[in-house]
Amino acid sequence: MKNTILILLVSFIALTACKENNNTDNGLKRVVFDPGHLKFISNSLNPKKETMSALYGNEKALESLSKENQTPEAGAVMKLVTWKYHENPQYIGGTITGELLSIEMVQADNAGNISYDIKDDLGKTISPNKEERIKYFMSYHPVSRP
């Protein structure tokens, strides 16, 4: 009889201790970016704006950034993807990507002409200072891989 009561008591405690969290997304929509053939090069974090960015590029872009060139080499393709970040509801002190804010692209054709394009979160094209943004792209240092 004692074992039955003990089992019922433990079962009752276990069932009442679990609570369902129905509000895990807090109204946020996460977007996963598919870089296609581009590889991850580096990332950055802006705590003031609460954004994080990831830079993707092809082999030519990686070579340009590794050599610390001021302009991308011919054939280089780079995309800088920026998300708003939020606190991770599953881990205290952790952050996760949230809304996709923008995708910037720098591309150098075989003739050395450099183009810059940006799409913001609403899909409209905006035009910041092209030269400054290209310099910003070129300021990234590739992460070292073991």
Side-chain angles (χ1 to χ4, degrees), residues 10-44:
V10 170
S11 299
F12 177 74
I13 291 172
L15 291 174
T16 57
C18 298
K19 82 176 193 180
E20 188 176 331
N21 185 1
N22 292 332
N23 192 16
T24 58
D25 64 355
N26 294 329
L28 304 174
K29 183 178 179 184
R30 291 184 64 196
V31 175
V32 177
F33 174 74
D34 179 16
H37 68 283
L38 302 178
K39 305 288 184 211
F40 174 79
I41 295 177
S42 189
N43 64 347
S44 64

Side-chain angles (χ1 to χ4, degrees), residues 61-81:
L62 184 59
E63 289 173 21
S64 297
L65 294 171
S66 297
K67 294 177 186 175
E68 298 183 9
N69 291 342
Q70 297 299 315
T71 58
E73 293 182 9
V77 176
M78 293 180 275
K79 287 187 179 182
L80 183 66
V81 184

Side-chain angles (χ1 to χ4, degrees), residues 114-145:
I114 302 170
S115 64
Y116 170 81
D117 187 37
I118 181 171
K119 302 279 190 226
D120 72 359
D121 61 340
L122 300 174
K124 60 185 175 187
T125 303
I126 56 177
S127 54
N129 187 323
K130 173 185 168 183
E131 289 78 22
E132 284 182 21
R133 294 309 294 167
I134 292 171
K135 283 183 184 178
Y136 180 71
F137 269 72
M138 298 310 294
S139 70
Y140 272 84
H141 298 287
V143 294
S144 59
R145 297 178 181 108

